[in-house]
Amino acid sequence: MADSTLSSATDASTQQHGYHRTPTLREVIEVMEELWPLSLAEPWDASGVVTGRVEQPVRRIHWAVDPVQAVVDEAVEAGADLLITHHPLLLKAVHSVAADQFKGKVVHTLIEGGCALITVHTNADSAVGGVSDVMAEILGLQHVVPLAPAEKGQSVNGEGMGRVGTLPHPLRLEDFAARVFSALPAVAPGVRVAGDRNGVVRTVAVTGGAGDSLFDQVRAHHADVYVTADLRHHPASEARERAALEGDRPYLVDVSHFASEWLFLPAAAQALQRGLAEHGWTIETGVSALNTDPWDFVITAGRN
């Protein structure tokens, strides 16, 4: 994974008049709502503002997948006024944020360091230009549509969970899996593949993060291969058993949850910078290079 990247953006009118305006947290939230509306979040999700005063100025934003202690320490040490993570800190209820508890310590570090925290989770999964759109673009997919479109009346065209598209040219499953591997940050679990390594794939379904609840949609789109993370034994086994009776598709490519979603961060940081710049607001942005995948190493049989 590349080192943390720093950049800034200012629109032409701001440059012309020779001044830069720093946005408040409230103003950053308003631009984020345009990009990743909270209305797209799943009912069980916990996206949104976690810590921070809406009137505080935001000069530097730090991006990461997970709001773990190492990431929070990195953000505070970098002088960030705002940490934006994909995963929520308080997805499950807690009854204390005492500093001797690990989530409480995170909250205390943020507040004492003057760093707000916002999470963009399933709303970023469903939004146009979100997690799965970035995956699809990096893998070179064309004619991309949502795998599971968002409900009408609450979305615009193109929003929904997952994406499905086609490769410009068919690839062997083994070659396609190698493309997936090379596109992702290096993590211990690597990439697991189920299917004939010489099987030809053209239609590809992708879902950033855990996606084994979308097998029906994958089959409905007649995808040759499904790329997602956290495939559990029974859903994966049943999908392959069913595929054996229906033409052996879809093949499965199981990747790291963290790695699949890290791909979104640089694109999201740039999108937010552009959105802020349109209002004449300038910020610095850093993307964390910390590997927060929970696995440190694997031991395999070594069979190719």
Side-chain angles (χ1 to χ4, degrees):
M1 191 184 305
D3 292 338
S4 297
T5 57
L6 301 178
S7 56
S8 62
T10 309
D11 66 0
S13 62
T14 301
Q15 293 176 348
Q16 180 179 356
H17 291 89
Y19 65 87
H20 303 311
R21 181 164 169 242
T22 300
T24 63
L25 181 60
R26 178 186 286 110
E27 290 166 332
V28 173
I29 293 168
E30 291 171 354
V31 175
M32 291 180 67
E33 179 65 17
E34 296 173 3
L35 294 168
W36 311 290
L38 283 174
S39 61
L40 291 177
E42 296 295 312
W44 50 264
D45 196 11
S47 291
V49 180
V50 181
T51 66
R53 298 183 184 276
V54 293
E55 67 273 12
Q56 73 182 70
V58 177
R59 300 178 182 85
R60 178 178 172 81
I61 299 176
H62 202 65
W63 286 81
V65 175
D66 298 296
V68 296
Q69 188 65 46
V71 164
V72 171
D73 290 341
E74 179 185 57
V76 171
E77 290 171 6
D81 305 296
L82 171 61
L83 171 62
I84 301 176
T85 64
H86 181 56
H87 288 148
L89 174 65
L90 304 174
L91 184 58
K92 293 184 178 180
V94 297
H95 302 287
S96 171
V97 289
D100 61 351
Q101 305 293 319
F102 73 93
K103 290 193 176 182
K105 184 178 179 182
V106 164
V107 171
H108 279 260
T109 303
L110 288 165
I111 294 174
E112 292 165 1
C115 184
L117 172 63
I118 298 177
T119 65
V120 285
H121 193 211
T122 55
N123 50 322
D125 289 331
S126 289
V128 174
V131 174
S132 294
D133 267 330
V134 172
M135 284 185 67
E137 180 179 1
I138 289 174
L139 294 178
L141 302 188
Q142 301 176 336
H143 313 298
V144 176
V145 298
L147 186 58
E151 294 184 10
K152 293 181 179 180
Q154 297 181 348
S155 66
V156 298
N157 185 38
E159 292 174 339
M161 299 297 288
R163 295 293 184 266
V164 60
T166 56
L167 294 167
H169 306 286
L171 291 174
R172 295 169 58 247
L173 176 61
E174 185 172 18
D175 295 330
F176 174 75
R179 173 181 292 188
V180 173
F181 178 83
S182 64
L184 296 173
V187 293
V191 171
R192 300 188 299 178
V193 185
D196 178 3
R197 67 177 65 214
N198 292 313
V200 177
V201 299
R202 179 72 179 268
T203 302
V204 179
V206 300
T207 300
D212 63 14
S213 64
L214 298 175
F215 274 123
D216 287 342
Q217 290 83 350
V218 173
R219 285 187 284 264
H221 283 278
H222 305 289
D224 296 311
V225 62
Y226 184 33
V227 184
T228 190
D230 295 349
L231 286 178
R232 295 170 294 162
H233 175 86
H234 292 294
S237 177
E238 291 173 4
R240 293 302 297 147
E241 286 292 292
R242 179 168 176 173
L245 298 176
E246 300 176 359
D248 205 29
R249 312 297 171 93
Y251 302 133
L252 306 178
V253 177
D254 184 37
V255 301
S256 157
H257 191 126
F258 158 80
S260 70
E261 294 175 331
W262 188 91
L263 297 174
F264 167 68
L265 301 183
Q270 292 175 10
L272 182 55
Q273 274 194 317
R274 288 194 298 267
L276 291 168
E278 290 174 1
H279 295 276
W281 299 323
T282 181
I283 59 167
E284 290 184 338
T285 295
V287 177
S288 178
L290 290 177
N291 177 1
T292 56
D293 188 282
W295 304 108
D296 295 314
F297 64 93
V298 295
I299 299 174
T300 70
R303 178 181 177 185
N304 292 324

